[in-house]
Amino acid sequence: MGIANASRYPVKRSHIGIMHHLSRREVDALIDAPDQQTPRGRRDRALLLFLAGTGARVSEALGANACDIQLDRPRPKVLLRGKGPKERVVPIPDDS
C-alpha cells in the first residue's frame, strides 16, 4: 500500500479548545470565597491556595499524601503524581 492509498482512510478530527488562565483578581476571589469560620471553608481555602500556588491539577492535589509534602526544607516542595507513572516535584511558594 502506497501513500496514495492512505488518503482513503478518514482522518480523526478533534476539537482542541483554547485554555485561558485566570487573572490574579479572579484567583483571589476564588480563594476568598469559602467561609473561613467553618472547618469546611478552611479546608476549601487551603485546597484552593495549594492549587493556585503549585499549579497542581485537582486529581494530583487529591492524590497527594502527607509524606509527599516536604515542608521542613529551605524550599518546601510537594511530589505530585499524574496519570500513569508520571510524577513531578513542585515547589510550594511561601505565600500559600
Side-chain angles (χ1 to χ4, degrees), residues 6-71:
S7 63
R8 294 188 303 179
Y9 296 100
V11 176
K12 181 179 178 184
R13 302 210 185 261
S14 63
H15 175 71
I16 299 174
I18 297 174
M19 306 244 342
H20 298 281
H21 67 279
L22 299 175
S23 69
R24 181 64 191 193
R25 180 181 289 176
E26 291 169 325
V27 171
D28 290 342
L30 283 173
I31 291 170
D32 292 338
D35 180 3
Q36 296 182 51
Q37 302 304 313
T38 66
R40 181 175 281 173
R42 289 189 294 274
R43 178 208 59 194
D44 291 350
R45 184 172 190 275
L47 179 58
L48 290 167
L49 281 168
F50 182 81
L51 292 171
T54 62
R57 296 172 181 88
V58 172
S59 60
E60 291 174 326
L62 296 178
N65 298 314
C67 62
D68 297 331
I69 301 172
Q70 299 176 356
L71 299 175

Side-chain angles (χ1 to χ4, degrees), residues 69-81:
I69 301 172
Q70 299 176 356
L71 299 175
D72 59 344
R73 297 176 177 257
R75 301 187 75 201
K77 54 188 169 184
V78 60
L79 171 66
L80 299 174
R81 292 178 184 83

